[in-house]
Amino acid sequence: MKDIGLSVILLLASSVAALKPSIEVRGVSIEDLQKYQPDENGKWACLGNPEVVLSFSQINDDICDCPDGSDEPGTAACPGTFFYCRNEGHIPGKLPSSRVNDGICDYDICCDGSDEAGLSDSGLTPKCENRCAKMHKEYIAKKEAKQALLKAASENRQKLIKKAQVLRENLKKEIATKEKKVEDLKLQLSQKEAELEIVEAQEAERIAANTVPKPKVIDDAQESLEFLLDEYKKFEAEIASLSGQLSQLSSVLEQMKGDYNPNFNDPAVKHAIRSFEEFKGNNPETSQAHIVNAEKLGAVSNIIESLKSYTPPAPQQSNQHSFKPSFDLPLFRFSDLVKKVRNLLVEFSIIPDNGESSSMVQPESVPTDTNVSTELTKQRNIVSNTKTSLSETERQLQEARKSLETEHGPDDILRALKDTCVSSNLGEYIYEICFYGKASQKSTKDNSSVNLGNFENVSIDDKSEDGALILYFEKGAKCWSGPIRRATVSLTCGKETALLQVTEPERCEYFIFGTSPAACAQYNPQAVDSASKDEL
């Protein structure tokens, strides 16, 4: 019974000891407060250097006794240490010890004013009031507003993702449809080309059956004219060569004439110079009239080509009358062609002019058979239209595939903003960016616009908290006596897509800052809710 009573007494004693409050030490968190309690002898060991034992009264005595500075958590005595602000009712903070008891209330970190309590206790400065309750209320209001904004931005982002998914699926369907259409058009074109070959063969047979043979005299005239043209070109080249030699000889004689000294009695030289002067008198200038100009040679070539492609007219047919083909008309046309050839030969002085020739006339177009059947024209149009449709469909298919493969940011979200433009009046200019388009700067004074760059690519800023999107616009308009303009657009998480600020750190290099729900990839509503509750 005696032992039981003693046990009860010891249990009560230990319970009372457990209920005994810890000694308060300024500048220490509640979790670390147990580390700052004296032993049964009123002693205390430095936390980082337990071999150094101090009297408990030496803690926060404004003298740095521990090598690690752990004995002065509430003063500025030990450099490089931190003061812990408990900020009850708000968020705890850490303040560099150098700012403790400096006469300044650092409410941004220590809203409870505990960083200046040492001076206040000594009566050296007015006491820093505790503003934690007020500041926490403001903090919660801002936190809730930000949370609401982020939730709205997240909802808008989900809408953009769904829109991008629909657009992507539609693009895949379009590609499949275009691929099927391309195959169908290729097959259709192959069939139509085969049909066209049949119609063309039938048309060739019809034309051949209704074509009058070319008179032999035309072939003979063509061959003779080609021979004369080749001979004349050789003759012209020989004359040109002799003319060059003559010019060179004249130059030599002219130099000899200039260098000749009449005081020297040289009969041979005198005779040569006298003969040269007589030659020059009889031939004052070397004529270039023998060189046939390009226009005349071209006319001859045209005549030859006309003879090559000359086709006598097909016999005329009628539902009411039929008649034998007459050579009166082709013979008349051929005689007219012969006259033109004769005129050219006279112009070239190849044959004499006996008065029958007239002035040079340009050859008329050679008569051709324009009686192409309606069926052939129809088939040619069908093939041409099918080729055009195939080419356009292949172009559209290529663009669709390229769009599907293009990088559109996380979750393909920027696909939903493609071809969307956003602008903002930021001072003297209105700045505008078009996703996958261009960035521009428009003056508010004269409405003049400048291209700041064309969309190049997009990346994610890994350093940002919410996964900011970086859009690059390159190869804009050239600055006056400067570089080519370029713009970098940084979009952070926001409810709406908007431009907020523009800077130009380097000439003609622009940095545009804005917000967009597309840049909220890292936002987690549950994480924000949890963080807010923990901080409360």
Side-chain angles (χ1 to χ4, degrees), residues 101-113:
N101 295 326
D102 61 354
I104 301 174
C105 299
D106 296 292
Y107 288 120
D108 56 331
I109 298 177
C110 294
C111 61
D112 58 1

Side-chain angles (χ1 to χ4, degrees), residues 206-363:
R206 183 188 69 81
I207 294 175
N210 293 277
T211 300
V212 177
K214 183 191 296 185
K216 183 177 182 301
V217 66
I218 289 191
D219 291 332
D220 294 342
Q222 170 192 329
E223 183 178 350
S224 299
L225 193 57
E226 287 177 343
F227 174 77
L228 288 174
L229 183 60
D230 290 340
E231 289 299 314
Y232 193 85
K233 286 181 178 179
K234 294 177 183 178
F235 175 67
E236 180 191 37
E238 184 177 355
I239 292 178
S241 176
L242 292 174
S243 178
Q245 295 177 15
L246 177 61
S247 176
Q248 183 178 6
L249 179 59
S250 297
S251 176
V252 171
L253 291 174
E254 283 286 358
Q255 184 176 0
M256 184 180 70
K257 178 183 174 182
D259 297 339
Y260 170 66
N261 188 345
N263 295 324
F264 293 101
N265 189 13
D266 189 337
V269 175
K270 285 183 178 182
H271 177 72
I273 293 175
R274 189 178 301 110
S275 298
F276 174 60
E277 290 176 344
E278 290 175 359
F279 171 78
K280 284 182 59 179
N282 295 329
N283 301 274
E285 293 293 338
T286 301
S287 174
Q288 298 294 322
H290 64 279
I291 300 178
V292 181
N293 59 39
E295 182 181 355
K296 292 180 180 180
L297 289 177
V300 174
S301 299
N302 289 339
I303 291 293
I304 294 174
E305 291 301 320
S306 298
L307 290 171
K308 287 181 180 179
S309 59
Y310 176 77
T311 303
Q316 302 295 320
Q317 295 182 356
S318 171
N319 294 332
Q320 298 178 350
H321 306 283
S322 63
F323 55 92
K324 284 188 176 182
S326 172
F327 286 93
D328 293 342
L329 182 60
L331 286 176
F332 169 76
R333 290 181 176 174
F334 177 66
S335 64
D336 184 57
L337 190 60
V338 169
K339 288 181 181 179
K340 294 176 183 178
V341 173
R342 181 177 181 79
N343 288 338
L344 283 172
L345 297 177
V346 171
E347 288 284 338
F348 295 157
S349 301
I350 296 175
I351 61 174
D353 185 1
N354 57 8
E356 296 180 4
S357 61
S358 59
S359 59
M360 173 82 73
V361 228
Q362 293 297 327

Side-chain angles (χ1 to χ4, degrees), residues 3 57 63 67 74 101 126 166 179 215 276 295 298 319 352 358 378 392 396 434 472 491 494 498 504 521 523:
D3 292 338
S57 61
I63 299 174
N101 295 326
V166 172
E179 289 174 340
F276 174 60
E295 182 181 355
N319 294 332
S358 59
K378 177 183 176 182
E392 177 62 19
Q396 294 173 356
C434 295
Y472 300 94
L491 298 176
E504 189 180 355
Y523 168 63

Side-chain angles (χ1 to χ4, degrees), residues 297-500:
L297 289 177
V300 174
S301 299
N302 289 339
I303 291 293
I304 294 174
E305 291 301 320
S306 298
L307 290 171
K308 287 181 180 179
S309 59
Y310 176 77
T311 303
Q316 302 295 320
Q317 295 182 356
S318 171
N319 294 332
Q320 298 178 350
H321 306 283
S322 63
F323 55 92
K324 284 188 176 182
S326 172
F327 286 93
D328 293 342
L329 182 60
L331 286 176
F332 169 76
R333 290 181 176 174
F334 177 66
S335 64
D336 184 57
L337 190 60
V338 169
K339 288 181 181 179
K340 294 176 183 178
V341 173
R342 181 177 181 79
N343 288 338
L344 283 172
L345 297 177
V346 171
E347 288 284 338
F348 295 157
S349 301
I350 296 175
I351 61 174
D353 185 1
N354 57 8
E356 296 180 4
S357 61
S358 59
S359 59
M360 173 82 73
V361 228
Q362 293 297 327
E364 298 177 358
S365 58
V366 179
T368 56
D369 182 13
T370 58
N371 187 23
V372 179
S373 68
T374 304
E375 181 63 22
L376 179 57
T377 301
K378 177 183 176 182
Q379 288 297 327
R380 285 175 176 172
N381 289 337
I382 290 176
V383 170
S384 176
N385 293 337
T386 304
K387 287 182 178 179
T388 301
S389 180
L390 175 60
S391 177
E392 177 62 19
T393 305
E394 286 178 331
R395 184 191 65 80
Q396 294 173 356
L397 176 60
Q398 184 178 4
E399 289 184 355
R401 286 173 174 169
K402 181 179 179 181
S403 177
L404 187 65
E405 296 169 359
T406 300
E407 172 63 36
H408 288 85
D411 298 318
D412 209 35
I413 194 168
L414 290 182
R415 188 180 299 278
L417 293 174
K418 186 177 181 181
D419 301 326
T420 299
C421 298
V422 57
S423 62
S424 181
N425 189 332
L426 300 173
E428 298 181 6
Y429 301 99
I430 296 175
Y431 290 87
E432 181 181 68
I433 65 165
C434 295
F435 291 88
Y436 297 91
K438 69 176 183 178
S440 60
Q441 178 194 66
K442 184 177 180 180
S443 173
T444 56
K445 297 179 180 179
D446 56 10
N447 290 328
S448 61
S449 182
V450 176
N451 183 6
L452 302 185
N454 302 298
F455 179 81
E456 189 77 17
N457 54 55
V458 59
S459 66
I460 301 176
D461 185 1
D462 297 330
K463 297 180 181 179
S464 65
E465 296 180 357
D466 48 16
L469 294 176
I470 309 296
L471 282 64
Y472 300 94
F473 294 81
E474 306 287 345
K475 300 176 183 177
K478 189 178 187 299
C479 281
W480 179 259
S481 299
I484 300 296
R485 288 180 172 87
R486 58 185 300 189
T488 302
V489 181
S490 177
L491 298 176
T492 55
C493 182
K495 182 179 179 180
E496 304 292 342
T497 302
L499 305 183
L500 306 178

